[in-house]
Amino acid sequence: RHNSQGDANFLEDETTKNFAQKVADHYSARSNQTLEEREASPIIHLKKLNNWIKSVLIQLYARRGDAVLDLACGKGGDLIKWDKAKIGYYVGIDIADGSIKDCRTRYNGDADHHQRRKKFSFPARLMCGDCYEVRLDKVLADDAPFDICSCQFALHYSWSTEARARRALANVSALLRPGGIFIGTMPDANVIIKKLREAEGLTFGNSVYWIRFDEEFSDKKFKSSSPFGTKYTFHLEDAVDCPEWIVPFDVFKSLAEEYDFELVFAKNSHEFVHEYMKRPEFVELMRRLGALGDGNQDQGTLSADEWEAAYLYMSFVLRKRGQPDKN
Ligand code: SAM
């Protein structure tokens, strides 16, 4: 016979697994786009802007020869960015087996004839797995320690339960060397909650995205509720349709401190653009990526709706405490 507590735990666990599976299925089902399809996307400039943000983070923190852990690496969209940073080793893990297959193809460089480029100069290990469930310190014992860990547009999928959020941080903390860097981009909870409170109902958005909170959050206060498991549905045109979870930044920061991280910085994407567009090398990178165009309100610029969608995200940099070995 089960007691009620046991049943509740069992149910919670199954639901969590179902949601993780839903996220995996969603990303697995998204096939690789051709260059033409990509350029025709209604969020092409937003995608380019997000690539710029990730490139800037990588250029700021990656060093030649670094061992890199890419959590939720997806189809390997950042492989070229890491190659430019001349890293020495790369491990990529994602829950979606379809994405890992695409990532392998991209790394091996044999299928996409658009991408006639030289082989990547670093060895890589690509694996399918749930980064917020599995003890990665055991799986990757022979690959550790890593100099830098990146989790781009994915850490919020760990916030469905406290156990998963803790597993995510424990994994990164156990695998990074002292002084190692953890970079990431995730939804900005402050912006999302503010927009929810300004909205009439539980849904808000524009022509490129919408967010819908579950009925249980209709008081919009979140005061008494747990900081984990605040679920909403996120739809981004031509990109995402998934259950996601709010990551309250103050809770994230203090949880990260428990796992020996100190905050280097956290910036909303708008602020990030403002800050790093002061540096000529990043202006040039933005020009090459074609994200903000030449500043005229034309095709080369993000639409107002894309710019508002960019505002939903923030980037963070954490440093693992301790001094790096001197050799
Ligand atoms: N980081 C990649 C990038 O920036 O191009 C992919 C970002 S995509 C928006 C989110 C990724 O998170 C998907 O590839 C998805 O499969 C992955 N993901 C979600 N939950 C995960 C989990 N529990 N473990 C590993 N990967 C996960």
Side-chain angles (χ1 to χ4, degrees), residues 106-166:
R106 183 167 290 180
Y107 178 75
N108 294 323
D110 52 13
D112 188 351
H113 56 267
H114 289 299
Q115 196 193 322
R116 249 192 226 113
R117 65 184 312 283
K118 69 168 181 54
K119 282 251 184 229
F120 292 97
S121 52
F122 51 85
R125 185 173 173 197
L126 306 171
M127 302 189 300
C128 185
D130 186 337
C131 300
Y132 314 139
E133 179 81 40
V134 176
R135 289 275 312 251
L136 291 181
D137 53 335
K138 293 190 172 160
V139 179
L140 299 175
D142 294 339
D143 306 73
F146 291 88
D147 301 291
I148 182 161
C149 172
S150 171
C151 185
Q152 300 298 340
F153 297 93
L155 196 57
H156 51 302
Y157 295 118
S158 75
W159 222 257
S160 54
T161 65
E162 180 169 354
R164 286 171 71 77
R166 283 183 179 276

Side-chain angles (χ1 to χ4, degrees), residues 27-323:
Y27 282 104
S28 258
R30 284 197 56 81
S31 59
N32 260 338
Q33 289 182 316
T34 63
L35 265 186
E36 290 74 17
E37 282 166 350
R38 190 180 132 80
E39 286 298 322
S41 165
I43 57 157
I44 179 64
H45 295 109
L46 177 61
K47 287 181 179 174
K48 288 176 175 176
L49 181 72
N50 286 338
N51 272 319
W52 176 83
I53 289 173
K54 293 191 290 180
S55 296
V56 170
L57 285 171
I58 289 171
Q59 287 185 25
L60 286 173
Y61 291 99
R63 298 282 169 271
R64 181 188 284 265
D66 272 358
V68 175
L69 174 63
D70 194 351
L71 290 187
C73 62
K75 299 168 191 299
D78 295 342
L79 283 169
I80 295 180
K81 302 177 187 71
W82 291 114
D83 206 29
K84 289 197 172 127
K86 302 192 165 54
I87 61 164
Y89 183 48
Y90 175 93
V91 174
I93 312 178
D94 199 282
I95 197 172
D97 59 343
S99 300
I100 283 294
K101 281 194 188 103
D102 287 348
C103 188
R104 280 206 183 100
T105 307
R106 183 167 290 180
Y107 178 75
N108 294 323
D110 52 13
D112 188 351
H113 56 267
H114 289 299
Q115 196 193 322
R116 249 192 226 113
R117 65 184 312 283
K118 69 168 181 54
K119 282 251 184 229
F120 292 97
S121 52
F122 51 85
R125 185 173 173 197
L126 306 171
M127 302 189 300
C128 185
D130 186 337
C131 300
Y132 314 139
E133 179 81 40
V134 176
R135 289 275 312 251
L136 291 181
D137 53 335
K138 293 190 172 160
V139 179
L140 299 175
D142 294 339
D143 306 73
F146 291 88
D147 301 291
I148 182 161
C149 172
S150 171
C151 185
Q152 300 298 340
F153 297 93
L155 196 57
H156 51 302
Y157 295 118
S158 75
W159 222 257
S160 54
T161 65
E162 180 169 354
R164 286 171 71 77
R166 283 183 179 276
R167 173 63 62 220
L169 287 166
N171 276 340
V172 181
S173 183
L175 289 165
L176 276 181
R177 65 162 166 78
I181 292 287
F182 180 22
I183 56 176
T185 306
M186 66 182 174
D188 187 331
N190 285 332
V191 171
I192 294 177
I193 299 294
K194 181 166 175 286
K195 283 183 177 289
L196 171 67
R197 289 185 176 147
E198 285 166 3
E200 281 201 5
L202 290 167
T203 308
F204 56 89
N206 63 29
S207 69
V208 299
Y209 85 91
W210 54 257
I211 286 176
R212 188 183 61 233
F213 278 79
D214 289 4
E215 263 323 306
E216 62 181 292
F217 304 115
S218 56
D219 73 350
K220 303 186 182 182
K221 289 205 173 74
F222 308 103
K223 276 276 181 283
S224 55
S225 56
S226 152
F228 307 94
T230 306
K231 185 163 77 66
Y232 57 90
T233 304
F234 181 55
H235 172 88
L236 180 62
E237 207 56 34
D238 193 39
V240 187
D241 227 330
C242 251
E244 300 199 345
W245 290 268
I246 286 286
V247 184
F249 191 77
D250 53 335
V251 184
F252 173 72
K253 183 173 172 279
S254 44
L255 204 62
E257 281 165 1
E258 271 188 50
Y259 290 92
D260 278 344
F261 287 106
E262 54 192 19
L263 183 67
V264 178
F265 73 72
K267 287 186 213 300
N268 179 276
S269 290
H270 280 191
E271 190 193 347
F272 192 100
V273 171
H274 187 71
E275 177 84 24
Y276 292 104
M277 283 299 275
K278 289 179 188 153
R279 289 176 49 170
E281 72 271 34
F282 297 139
V283 174
E284 171 59 18
L285 177 66
M286 185 76 95
R287 194 193 58 74
R288 283 207 305 276
L289 288 172
L292 290 187
D294 57 10
N296 294 326
Q297 291 300 313
D298 61 16
Q299 286 276 299
T301 314
L302 269 81
S303 67
D305 284 0
E306 283 177 290
W307 184 240
E308 192 191 322
Y311 189 49
L312 300 171
Y313 292 91
M314 54 160 296
S315 297
F316 63 83
V317 178
L318 299 168
R319 181 180 286 114
K320 173 88 185 286
R321 281 181 215 283
Q323 290 300 315

